[in-house]
């Protein structure tokens, strides 16, 4: 899979935790030569490194709550200003609520850009719950308790699914069936990106 010659793609991948966003995001990023900008990964890296930001957000991530829009927005602003993200990026985990959509719109408008597509990885709640239980057993992520998983899925449904309406009204959302083999799902995503002219049709 290759990106078409002069593609600059500003993409967002949305889905509940456990929908496969991370795995598919890496594949999209590699094929298009754009960085994944995952706010969750940035927060976790800061916690691990013991930075001031890490200390500020440790308890919030552990509780499965959302970090403030101010802190998250400032972090994304810094990250998107870095040279590797100037011509494109794949956002994962941001924006996550209506206020962050406005934040991102304003930020991109400053450089005369906007999102090109929103990939929604659609996976039923029962299925992601089961996947997250397996991940908890395998990786022991601190926020992967039953209560934590339920809480985060509730927040996703309440805070994040409404943003799809806003992006849907702009004709940006590609709803991808996220149940199936990894390669099969990747193919679905690339077919959708090809239909938008973001990747070569032949490559999809
Ligand atoms: P994720 O890896 O995207 O599931 O994010 C892990 C955790 O990081 C979330 O449960 C939140 O506590 C925090 N987080 C990540 N992205 C955001 C965001 N856009 N807004 C607020 N909190 C976030």
């Amino acid at each position: 899979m290759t990106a078409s010659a002069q593609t600059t793609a500003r993409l967002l991948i949305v889905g509940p935790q456990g929908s496969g966003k991370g795995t598919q995001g890496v594949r999209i990023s590699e094929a298009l030569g754009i960085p994944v900008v995952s706010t969750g990964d940035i927060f976790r890296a800061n916690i691990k490194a013991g930075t001031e930001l890490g200390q500020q957000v440790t308890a919030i991530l552990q509780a499965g709550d959302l970090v403030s829009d101010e802190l998250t927005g400032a972090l994304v602003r810094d990250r998107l200003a870095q040279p590797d993200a100037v011509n494109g990026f794949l956002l994962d985990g941001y924006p996550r609520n209506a206020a962050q959509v406005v934040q991102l719109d304003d930020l991109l408008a400053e450089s005369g850009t906007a999102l090109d597509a929103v990939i929604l990885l659609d996976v039923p709640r029962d299925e992601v719950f089961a996947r997250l239980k397996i991940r908890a057993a395998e990786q022991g992520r601190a926020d992967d308790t039953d209560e934590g998983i339920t809480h985060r899925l509730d927040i996703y449904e309440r805070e994040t699914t409404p943003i799809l309406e806003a992006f849907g009204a702009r004709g940006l959302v590609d709803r991808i069936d996220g149940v199936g083999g990894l390669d099969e799902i990747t193919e679905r995503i690339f077919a959708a990106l090809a239909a938008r002219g973001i990747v070569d049709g032949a490559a999809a």
Side-chain angles (χ1 to χ4, degrees):
M1 282 168 281
T2 51
S4 37
Q6 286 159 11
T7 297
T8 59
R10 294 181 177 82
L11 306 176
L12 162 63
I13 190 162
V14 182
Q17 286 186 326
S19 59
K21 277 180 304 157
T23 307
Q24 297 298 338
V26 169
R27 292 181 174 195
I28 298 165
S29 145
E30 285 175 357
L32 274 71
I34 53 175
V36 174
V37 174
S38 158
T39 41
D41 282 353
I42 298 172
F43 288 135
R44 279 186 291 275
N46 275 274
I47 291 173
K48 207 170 166 193
T51 65
E52 197 186 324
L53 171 67
Q55 287 168 20
Q56 277 177 285
V57 302
T58 301
I60 301 170
L61 264 79
Q62 224 147 31
D65 291 326
L66 294 185
V67 176
S68 75
D69 295 334
E70 290 69 26
L71 205 54
T72 309
L75 183 119
V76 171
R77 172 178 286 276
D78 279 358
R79 180 63 189 88
L80 294 188
Q82 286 169 28
D84 66 330
V86 169
N87 285 323
F89 48 77
L90 174 77
L91 285 168
D92 170 0
Y94 177 93
R96 221 175 177 100
N97 59 27
Q100 293 181 4
V101 172
V102 175
Q103 237 179 24
L104 179 66
D105 282 345
D106 290 349
L107 176 60
L108 294 181
E110 285 173 23
S111 55
T113 62
L115 285 180
D116 298 308
V118 175
I119 300 157
L120 166 63
L121 268 188
D122 201 11
V123 181
R125 186 175 168 122
D126 289 357
E127 167 85 15
V128 286
F129 194 89
R131 290 185 193 177
L132 289 170
K133 291 280 287 177
I134 294 169
R135 184 176 84 179
E138 284 173 357
Q139 300 177 8
R141 249 180 63 165
D143 53 356
D144 274 351
T145 59
D146 275 15
E147 297 72 28
I149 294 169
T150 302
H151 184 55
R152 283 176 288 132
L153 291 178
D154 285 347
I155 290 184
Y156 174 78
E157 278 163 23
R158 194 177 65 235
E159 303 276 334
T160 308
T161 55
I163 76 171
L164 293 166
E165 272 169 46
F167 288 127
R170 300 181 204 173
L172 287 179
V173 179
D174 288 318
R175 182 180 292 267
I176 306 292
D177 180 2
V179 180
L182 284 184
D183 291 345
E184 203 182 342
I185 297 166
T186 307
E187 278 167 26
R188 290 175 195 153
I189 293 172
F190 277 84
L193 294 177
R196 289 182 183 275
I198 291 173
V199 296
D200 286 338

